[in-house]
Amino acid sequence: MRKLFILAIFLMATVIWVNAQISYGGTPPSIQYSITDHDVDCVTLTPLTKSQLDAENNKYPKDGRVPFIGYSIFTDLSPENAGSWTDLPNGGRIWRLKIKAPSALALGIYYDRFRLPYGGKLFLYNEDKSQILGSYTYENNDESGMFATEMVYGDIVCLEYYEPERCVG
């Protein structure tokens, strides 16, 4: 019975996770308008040192443990303190930011204050744009403010937020 209960919790968690990953497709405006990435701000995160990684690995029993495959680096990045805005020909604008974690194989982004307005779209992609996630929209908002995206391969993830032209009325 306990195994069935654990399986049920796992399946519910999987359904919640999959729901948080729903994206609505589309193409990032920087690609649509052929805007280069040369002037996009890049934040480089400091990786754990060898001794920090060893300490993390030593927290767990050696027999039968799950291999250490990644760790979180906490930041406080937002359009107010990082990235850059670019005006678009359609009257909208985009905010872009590159995040680099040297030697990472993939990067996932976790948000603790995720709130997109109606009409806004968020995209994530790797440096060569061979993997594009999104668009994420207001439909991805959760009252908790929490949100996570799947992993983007490589040691750089680019965030691109589209803000449509504001209506003046």
Side-chain angles (χ1 to χ4, degrees):
M1 184 65 163
R2 181 171 164 81
K3 288 182 181 178
L4 183 58
F5 179 70
I6 291 170
L7 178 61
I9 290 174
F10 174 75
L11 291 175
M12 286 189 304
T14 302
V15 168
I16 291 168
W17 177 257
V18 169
N19 188 36
Q21 294 289 338
I22 293 173
S23 66
Y24 298 94
T27 302
S30 64
I31 295 174
Q32 290 177 341
Y33 292 104
S34 302
I35 300 171
T36 65
D37 295 347
H38 301 328
D39 59 344
V40 176
D41 289 345
C42 183
V43 173
T44 301
L45 305 176
T46 304
L48 294 181
T49 64
K50 171 85 167 96
S51 61
Q52 289 171 317
L53 286 171
D54 290 343
E56 193 66 32
N57 274 321
N58 291 331
K59 286 182 182 178
Y60 306 99
K62 302 242 183 277
D63 296 339
R65 73 175 181 177
V66 175
F68 180 68
I69 59 168
Y71 55 90
S72 296
I73 299 174
F74 297 96
T75 65
D76 187 21
L77 301 173
S78 70
E80 287 78 35
N81 64 20
S84 54
W85 288 96
T86 304
D87 292 327
L88 298 175
N90 71 357
R93 64 183 187 157
I94 55 173
W95 171 82
R96 295 181 294 163
L97 174 67
K98 289 183 184 181
I99 300 174
K100 181 177 178 75
S103 74
L105 299 177
L107 299 168
I109 306 290
Y110 298 88
Y111 308 83
D112 63 354
R113 290 175 291 186
F114 186 86
R115 177 71 58 213
L116 294 178
Y118 183 82
K121 295 180 181 181
L122 177 67
F123 296 90
L124 285 83
Y125 44 86
N126 57 356
E127 193 169 30
D128 68 2
K129 298 179 182 165
S130 62
Q131 181 188 11
I132 299 172
L133 307 179
S135 67
Y136 301 105
T137 70
Y138 77 97
E139 294 183 54
N140 295 103
N141 294 339
D142 185 85
E143 63 185 54
S144 70
M146 305 297 280
F147 186 70
T149 61
E150 68 183 88
M151 295 289 188
V152 174
Y153 299 110
D155 67 352
I156 293 178
V157 62
C158 302
L159 285 74
E160 181 171 324
Y161 169 68
Y162 169 72
E163 180 181 80
E165 181 177 18
R166 296 176 188 220
C167 297
V168 179

